[in-house]
Amino acid sequence: MLNNDTIIALSTPPGSGAIGVIRLSGPEAISLTNQVFSGKDLAKQATHTLHFGLIKNNDVVIDEVVVSLFVGPKSYTKENVVEISCHGSNYIIQQIINLLINKGARAAKPGEFTLRAFMNGAFDLSQAEAVADLIASDSKASHEVAMQQMRGGFSTELKDLREQLIHFASMIELELDFAEEDVEFANRDQLRELIQRINKVLQRLIHSFEVGNVIKNGVPVVIAGKPNVGKSTLLNALLNEERAIVSDIAGTTRDTIEDEININGVVFRFIDTAGIRETADVIEAKGVERSLEKMKQAKLIIYMVDAQEEQAEVLKQLDELSKQATPFLFIVNKAELLTPSQKEFYTDHEALLISAKDKLGMDVLEQRLLDKVNLSNINTSETLVTNIRHVEALKQTQNSLNRVLENVNNPITSDFLAMDIKQALHYLGEITGTVTTDDLLENIFTKFCIGK
Amino acid sequence: MLNNDTIIALSTPPGSGAIGVIRLSGPEAISLTNQVFSGKDLAKQATHTLHFGLIKNNDVVIDEVVVSLFVGPKSYTKENVVEISCHGSNYIIQQIINLLINKGARAAKPGEFTLRAFMNGAFDLSQAEAVADLIASDSKASHEVAMQQMRGGFSTELKDLREQLIHFASMIELELDFAEEDVEFANRDQLRELIQRINKVLQRLIHSFEVGNVIKNGVPVVIAGKPNVGKSTLLNALLNEERAIVSDIAGTTRDTIEDEININGVVFRFIDTAGIRETADVIEAKGVERSLEKMKQAKLIIYMVDAQEEQAEVLKQLDELSKQATPFLFIVNKAELLTPSQKEFYTDHEALLISAKDKLGMDVLEQRLLDKVNLSNINTSETLVTNIRHVEALKQTQNSLNRVLENVNNPITSDFLAMDIKQALHYLGEITGTVTTDDLLENIFTKFCIGK
């Protein structure tokens, strides 16, 4: 996976802009740039310095640029790295990249800079993956989790577990060497105690995926209810609130996240609402059952009834809802029309009274949404698993350790013990990249953007 | 126009990417960054150095970044400039910008960094405008012209003219001071000779706009002819050829330039072809006149007939075409169907024989397109005027100088001479920005992108 050549790519987003940054990494990064750079002799400059000059193709000036020099190993990839900051014209960028490719650089593959950083030990695999998550992060929570992971929180936690296991693995290996003497170097009680301790951590990490995944990908929510109860009005009310918030945070991507609401840093994602809206019509005709089936895709249902609905009908719908596993919020729209006795009926059934049109009750609704996903008091500086690859590896580790537990008191199975512990170590290693295969790396890094 | 505060903007294109670069300029650029940067004390670092560290909002890590330090006047704007290279996430970029705005920076207006560079004397106005042209350049020729202008070629040429005129202006002022003595410090023959020399340069520059504009904005071309002669097929044939070329040059913008063809660095732009295609139907019904009216928008017409067309009808169309001022290329499609005598007829009328479907004759057609715009032997390292503002100022300069010529031998008009020469100097000064108004500057810099 690791070549010793010099790679090049545009590292800033494509499109016209004030500046574009072209990155080179590899043993020849500085010498290749030097061949096309008119200015100081880059080979003689100190690391972490900036140099103004021209990029020329023979006598033709391509651009006035500023070159950033990072002499390996003091760089992102730990190789020589040059960043050329040029005018942000596609034509110029392409000319410079082509020129340097002609001189001997190679167009970088997606994520190849980060792959090199990983291969050269700048960070482990879960940290490399966090770089991609960090770039994709679009909320306070997802940003914090990715940052925590990139800065090595997850890796540190796993490293401790792994070291303790390695100790026992070597003890058991030692027993196997002295098999005929029937000694026991690895104290079985201590091993059992260690594995139970590790399992507790694994359990917590595996469990954290539910939260981590929600933070990374958002909470899928469905607004359901009969036609014309005000579902779209509610969505718009929530989204309008959101737009004001979003414009402070990530205005440029607004058009692609129209159906997302960011509440206190947690993204609520309204999935397939068109489809659900359609099936909402079906409720009347064929009962709530079929649309509830659809709602199972959601982590959370906002179920809405009209204030003027018959109480018997409301109770029927609530009954159906309660049979579902998906948690739901029961809300009554057009609450301003309720009589005191109606109000009492709904309050008895834990309904939240709102007026979507007048945006009344939105703050309470938002708080209830947060309460339902139980994220309001999450400590994102704590290690959370956000990656399905990691959670799978953690589960495999747990399976191997459970087999160790089963055999721990059986004196004839030291061989199996050693094997299962090794297996557990293998799965843990896959997360941080102590154990890797080309397939695994390719699978991870092709998801990166080019230039990273 | 120039404030003494510290401005901030994202300088790379918006969107997700490996890295984003946030630029600050102003007296507080370094001290503001220092307040949120965990790493070395930036205030104590040398200019043109790079520093790895964290951007933190109190205790919350926003990102790991590399900070580029340019201590004024050794920077683009000649002020203190800091560039923060962060992970290319919209969320992170917005967080960092908001954080620094809270500390006291101000969001930069479009082109404000370049405006500051101009105001601080880093370059003149025509060079500043060339920066925007450079970013927008999408072909070899437009890139070369913008680069030549940005590097000051145009400015140097104007500076010489201006200095010679200033000399005469001061001589004539001197004469006015000694008016009662009737001396002549400014030799009238030399003045006339100088103005004629200047006029020759102005004429060349004004004339160069025709070429310069074509290079910057492309040659508007219309493919005309009766329905079903193969106009769309020809356009596709030309565009296909282009796609292969473009993919080497500016692949990312391909979808927005579908109707442009880059031939040897000259862009041919097919304007409003849909409209023209529509009016093509009108030819049959109401004659060629009306559609020829439309064709006047073009610099060049490709007029296409079918090989099987009646010769009398062809002659009629050619006759109408010849009455137009717009140059045209007469081409015959489906040439493989021509009999020898038909071939002779078309060759006699200087037709180019092609087969659009089989892409035969395309290279000759492209050469003819280049010949028609007479750009094939252009020396783009020569000064070309590409900016309508500049050409207008040059024409005003010429008008003033012509008035000088009219009065040069009239002894009672030294006052007018001085005034007209000053006027000429004023217009020349507007080009390079020696003379500016807030309106002029605002008009120029609001067309820049933010962050430049």
Side-chain angles (χ1 to χ4, degrees), chain B residues 83-111:
Chain B
E83 289 181 357
I84 300 172
S85 175
C86 64
H87 285 94
S89 131
N90 284 325
Y91 178 81
I92 288 174
I93 288 164
Q94 219 45 58
Q95 289 296 108
I96 294 176
I97 290 177
N98 286 348
L99 180 61
L100 284 158
I101 285 176
N102 287 339
K103 295 289 177 193
R106 172 173 62 75
K109 286 179 283 206

Side-chain angles (χ1 to χ4, degrees), chain A residues 11-13 18-19 48 50 62-64 89-91 94 98 135 140 143 147 150-151 248-249 252-253 451, chain B residues 11-13 18-19 48 50 62-64 89-91 94 98 134-135 140 143 147 151 248-249 252-253 451:
Chain A
S11 283
T12 46
I19 63 175
H48 288 64
L50 292 154
I62 298 180
D63 203 5
E64 294 183 349
S89 132
N90 285 324
Y91 178 81
Q94 220 45 59
N98 286 348
I135 291 173
K140 187 165 174 289
H143 167 253
M147 181 59 75
M150 193 186 77
R151 309 213 68 221
D248 291 330
I249 299 173
T252 45
T253 57
Chain B
S11 283
T12 46
I19 62 174
H48 287 65
L50 293 155
I62 298 180
D63 202 5
E64 294 183 348
S89 131
N90 284 325
Y91 178 81
Q94 219 45 58
N98 286 348
L134 196 65
I135 290 172
K140 188 166 173 286
H143 167 253
M147 182 58 76
R151 306 212 70 220
D248 291 329
I249 297 174
T252 46
T253 59

Side-chain angles (χ1 to χ4, degrees), chain A residues 16 60-63 87 89-92 95, chain B residues 126-127 129-151 208-219 249-250 253 257 260-269 375 378-387:
Chain A
S16 286
V60 179
V61 176
I62 298 180
D63 203 5
H87 285 94
S89 132
N90 285 324
Y91 178 81
I92 288 174
Q95 290 296 108
Chain B
S126 73
Q127 287 174 295
E129 287 170 293
V131 173
D133 288 350
L134 196 65
I135 290 172
S137 69
D138 61 358
S139 71
K140 188 166 173 286
S142 62
H143 167 253
E144 278 172 11
V145 172
M147 182 58 76
Q148 204 262 4
Q149 186 177 322
M150 193 186 78
R151 306 212 70 220
S208 79
F209 178 66
E210 203 175 330
V211 171
N213 188 46
V214 152
I215 284 177
K216 186 169 154 188
N217 297 317
V219 186
I249 297 174
T253 59
I257 55 163
E260 287 184 1
I261 303 173
N262 182 323
I263 303 172
N264 285 2
V266 179
V267 172
F268 290 83
R269 191 162 44 81
L375 285 175
I378 277 198
N379 180 0
T380 46
S381 64
E382 198 172 82
T383 302
L384 295 178
V385 178
T386 60
N387 192 312

